[in-house]
């Protein structure tokens, strides 16, 4: 279960990072964070293909990719309650490091390091 939840967070993280790169000014700290999270996600995918069947991991990964894209697109379009935005894209930028940290911790836990 930890593998699949961290896999979903990985797709959500990189969708947020892609939007950040398109809309905001480039930042070396964010670039370094993206590189570290990319290494963690690579290890996560390696773990997934070693421990799970590939014909289960690939469709689930595709489903998570679609879900993450739709979630971030919905936030970009705007979720409004009483005329005020409920979740802004800036909120997603603020929690992106948390997603990266959770992915890294899940990776360490799964590998048993």
């Amino acid at each position: 279960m930890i593998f699949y939840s961290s896999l979903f967070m990985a797709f959500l993280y990189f969708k947020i990072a892609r939007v950040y790169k398109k809309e905001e000014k480039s930042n070396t700290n964010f670039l370094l964070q993206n590189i570290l999270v990319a290494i963690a996600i690579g290890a996560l995918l390696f773990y997934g293909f070693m421990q799970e069947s590939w014909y289960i991991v690939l469709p689930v990964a595709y489903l998570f990719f679609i879900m993450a894209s739709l979630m971030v697109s919905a936030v970009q379009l705007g979720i409004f309650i009483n005329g005020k935005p409920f979740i802004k894209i800036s909120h997603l930028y603020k929690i992106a490091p948390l997603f990266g940290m959770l992915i890294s911790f899940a990776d360490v836990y799964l590998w048993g390091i």
Side-chain angles (χ1 to χ4, degrees):
M1 187 68 190
I2 292 174
F3 168 71
Y4 292 109
S5 58
S6 59
L7 185 64
F8 177 71
M9 283 189 288
F11 284 114
L12 193 59
Y13 175 84
F14 272 109
K15 180 63 180 174
I16 293 169
R18 188 177 144 259
V19 170
Y20 183 85
K21 184 178 178 186
K22 279 181 144 182
E23 293 183 1
E24 302 292 326
K25 188 176 178 182
S26 183
N27 187 350
T28 57
N29 293 334
F30 202 71
L31 179 64
L32 180 64
Q33 177 184 333
N34 287 344
I35 291 170
L36 293 174
V37 173
I39 292 168
I41 291 172
L44 180 72
L45 288 173
F46 185 70
Y47 174 85
F49 283 115
M50 294 297 291
Q51 301 297 324
E52 303 284 334
S53 301
W54 66 269
Y55 52 85
I56 293 176
V57 173
L58 286 180
V60 169
Y62 182 71
L63 180 69
F64 287 165
F65 173 74
I66 297 297
M67 287 172 47
S69 296
L70 289 174
M71 288 174 66
V72 173
S73 296
V75 171
Q76 280 181 304
L77 290 174
I79 300 172
F80 295 97
I81 295 178
N82 294 331
K84 293 184 179 181
F86 180 63
I87 299 174
K88 297 179 185 177
I89 196 72
S90 62
H91 294 127
L92 293 181
Y93 296 155
K94 290 177 187 175
I95 63 169
L98 177 65
F99 281 149
M101 183 183 68
L102 289 174
I103 293 165
S104 300
F105 285 158
D107 215 12
V108 168
Y109 178 78
L110 289 172
W111 282 103
I113 298 174

